[in-house]
Amino acid sequence: MMKRIGILTSGGDCQGLNAAIRGVAKGLYQEFGKDVEIYGIKDGYKGLIFGEYKLMKPNDFSGILTLGGTLLGTSRQPFKTMRVIDENSVDKVKGMKDNYKKMKLDCLVILGGNGTQKTANLLREEGLNVIHLPKTIDNDIWGTDITFGFHSAVEIATNVIDCIHTTATSHGRVFIVEVMGHKVGWLTLSAGIAGGADVILLPEIPYDIDKVAKCLNDRIKAGKKFSILAVAEGAISKQEAALSKKERKKARENFPHPSIVYRIAEELAGKVDNEIRVCVPGHFQRGGSPCAYDRVLCTRLGATAARYIKEKTFGVMVGMVNGQCVPVPLQDVAGKLKSVPVDCDEIKAARQIGISFGD
Ligand code: F6P
């Protein structure tokens, strides 16, 4: 009997989406031969809500292993608005269920991060067969050791720090590099260590600006003419950490800086003698080809999703735990955030070689 599988990519893009799509599709064609139809849904949940999809052909999945972005397109559809009927009277959940039925799907494969996963779980609760693949450069999805996109972004952020190193050295400057990662510090921690940063500031370890300044001044005294700070976009000071979430949000509303690194640069200006510059690589970190590690990871996650479809293992994320692909029930993980444990090995090793976390 013909199997019909839908596939969509939702939320911020990253490297490896096409490699994972390819893994799912090639795995399905191997499992079911001509008895499978794959529907590509456009622009994430938006395409599912509004019925924008197309039947894909095996050729559509060729030559995409190394391609950045997502051939299906993506969009952000916040989870908190999913059950809200919008101003045009669109019932999003009904739309998604109706289109799932219209395509006569046996399963919907959903590639995305935390928010996407919450909606995948909502669709599971509504009775749809779903499988989620963990995508994000932030590596913040609970229940999997690693997400695809992360290693590729680490490579890019590390390369940025490497390049900044040479110019910082020539000029004897302090450089503050802002690394993505949303509310967690995985990306900054890895890129910071790999790039040889002198200071690493993470959301998980609130910083004291005087401690950061002391570290930089100690380097000057020791004859080091330059310093590199790798700062997570979600980094917070000790003062901010003492505020409630609401108070912090309010304080940030009056924030005159485009992002955290500009504020840190201003705060350090009176306390450190070197010239200070900032560098914000931003979405550059999500672009381009997936690295070799991610190509392998995406192929494994995608192929495993195809196997789960054959075995009728639904309502799960394909997680990578201790080097193995495992089915992780969505109800156990949806809505949970995987932060960096402050006593993890990477942080311990970084401290042992003298990297400051500003605490
Ligand atoms: O979740 C991936 C991510 O790149 C985060 O690191 C960052 O905070 C956010 O997305 C940026 O979102 P947008 O692409 O909507 O600007």
Side-chain angles (χ1 to χ4, degrees):
M1 210 167 106
M2 183 63 78
K3 290 273 172 212
R4 292 185 179 82
I5 311 301
I7 184 159
L8 65 82
T9 55
S10 168
D13 73 342
C14 72
Q15 305 88 342
L17 280 164
N18 290 322
I21 291 170
R22 171 183 175 271
V24 176
K26 287 193 182 267
L28 286 171
Y29 291 131
Q30 286 293 323
E31 293 281 4
F32 300 106
K34 288 193 177 347
D35 293 332
V36 65
E37 284 180 353
I38 302 178
Y39 288 86
I41 297 160
K42 213 174 150 225
D43 298 339
Y45 289 119
K46 205 161 134 199
L48 190 59
I49 296 166
F50 296 105
E52 289 179 25
Y53 50 81
K54 70 165 188 175
L55 179 61
M56 312 280 285
K57 293 276 173 269
N59 254 348
D60 294 327
F61 303 105
S62 282
I64 62 169
L65 174 63
T66 61
L67 199 65
T70 162
L71 62 87
L72 297 174
T74 188
S75 63
R76 288 200 186 275
Q77 295 286 317
F79 171 72
K80 59 178 183 222
T81 66
M82 275 300 182
R83 289 201 184 273
V84 179
I85 310 289
D86 72 12
E87 64 277 12
N88 302 317
S89 311
V90 176
D91 181 336
K92 302 183 209 54
V93 176
K94 183 174 180 304
M96 291 193 284
K97 287 169 73 177
D98 287 352
N99 283 310
Y100 181 98
K101 282 192 197 123
K102 205 164 148 197
M103 284 182 270
K104 298 197 181 76
L105 295 184
D106 293 286
C107 178
L108 174 63
V109 181
I110 299 168
L111 284 62
N114 271 314
T116 300
Q117 187 190 58
K118 285 195 261 183
T119 299
N121 189 44
L122 177 158
L123 294 176
R124 178 196 63 80
E125 287 166 354
E126 291 290 326
L128 308 191
N129 293 332
V130 297
I131 294 179
H132 169 237
L133 298 187
K135 162 245 72 163
T136 168
I137 64 166
D138 304 337
N139 194 29
D140 60 352
I141 298 182
W142 189 267
T144 183
D145 294 342
I146 197 78
T147 60
F148 65 88
F150 174 68
H151 275 289
S152 302
V154 169
E155 291 294 330
I156 296 177
T158 302
N159 190 244
V160 170
I161 298 174
D162 286 349
C163 292
I164 288 298
H165 242 114
T166 62
T167 176
T169 314
S170 309
H171 288 265
R173 285 173 171 160
V174 168
F175 257 95
I176 311 176
V177 182
E178 184 173 289
V179 182
M180 273 189 169
H182 201 218
K183 293 180 181 159
V184 303
W186 293 105
L187 188 51
T188 310
L189 181 60
S190 283
I193 294 174
D198 307 296
V199 177
I200 297 178
L201 302 183
L202 309 176
E204 291 86 349
I205 307 178
Y207 68 86
D208 174 340
I209 200 69
D210 290 324
K211 297 262 173 68
V212 176
K214 181 174 180 322
C215 167
L216 302 178
N217 287 326
D218 285 350
R219 278 178 56 81
I220 297 170
K221 276 185 219 145
K224 313 267 171 134
K225 284 169 60 191
F226 73 95
S227 291
I228 307 282
L229 289 81
V231 175
E233 62 175 337
I236 57 169
S237 66
K238 281 194 190 290
Q239 289 91 324
E240 284 177 305
L243 301 175
S244 70
K245 224 171 148 186
K246 211 170 152 194
E247 288 168 334
R248 201 180 317 150
K249 204 172 162 211
K250 195 140 191 284
R252 288 258 171 143
E253 274 165 18
N254 305 321
F255 208 55
H257 312 94
S259 69
I260 184 74
V261 288
Y262 293 92
R263 187 182 79 186
I264 292 177
E266 195 177 287
E267 287 171 346
L268 286 175
K271 299 176 191 278
V272 180
D273 282 341
N274 291 43
E275 265 188 288
I276 301 172
R277 293 285 190 276
V278 300
C279 169
V280 183
H283 292 78
F284 196 69
Q285 293 161 95
R286 289 202 330 226
S289 241
C291 65
Y293 179 96
D294 274 334
R295 293 178 201 181
V296 176
L297 177 63
C298 291
T299 303
R300 291 181 67 190
L301 295 173
T304 304
R307 179 161 58 80
Y308 288 173
I309 290 169
K310 175 96 172 182
E311 297 166 358
K312 298 191 167 59
T313 302
F314 300 128
V316 297
M317 163 177 75
V318 186
M320 183 60 73
V321 179
N322 296 328
Q324 299 298 316
C325 288
V326 291
V328 181
L330 282 172
Q331 75 230 43
D332 294 350
V333 291
K336 291 189 187 167
L337 187 72
K338 188 182 72 181
S339 301
V340 180
V342 294
D343 58 351
C344 70
D345 259 23
E346 288 102 312
I347 292 185
K348 281 186 191 152
R351 288 192 193 278
Q352 276 168 10
I353 64 156
I355 295 176
S356 166
F357 287 85
D359 57 338

